[in-house]
Amino acid sequence: MPAHSIMPGRHHAAHEGPGPVARGTHLPHEARGDRWTWAVPLAGAVMLGLYGVFLASQNGWPPLNYWLLGLALAVVSGVLGHALIRQRKKMVTEVRAAAFGSLLGASLGFLYSLTGVTVLRAMEIGLLIGLAMGLTSYYVFYWHEH
């Protein structure tokens, strides 16, 4: 009698392949991974768009204009955030960190510009926030991957 219960030619229905999971079954975390790749950018885009509407309305914009601005801000940031999250595994660590930093820095720099400050001050705030996010995300990505 052989030591292994599965011999070539004697396949059991319960064991279709090597390992504890039968071939063809899907693990539950695979389905959840797809949900957050659109839910997180959607939530961020809605918050960013509504905050943009609030800032523009407080600075004397006409109602139609600030709602269109908020909609455009939400759509652009949501699409870019979704594309970034979907393509993150194909990027090297440095590029991924720079992309996350750039997206956050540009978004918050634009929001800060809606408060009525000078363009140079808004660029400075966006650059500082983007650098901080890029360095922080590089630190997190590097230590979780190496």
Side-chain angles (χ1 to χ4, degrees), residues 93 135-146:
T93 305
L135 290 173
T136 304
S137 58
Y138 176 73
Y139 175 77
V140 170
F141 296 152
Y142 182 78
W143 284 107
H144 282 277
E145 293 174 0
H146 292 67

Side-chain angles (χ1 to χ4, degrees), residues 13 25 65-66 74 79 82-83 90-91 94 97 106 119 122-123 128 130 132-133:
T25 59
N65 290 357
Y66 64 72
V79 167
H82 179 71
K90 297 178 183 175
M91 297 182 214
E94 294 84 5
V119 175
M123 285 175 42
L128 289 175
M133 176 63 178

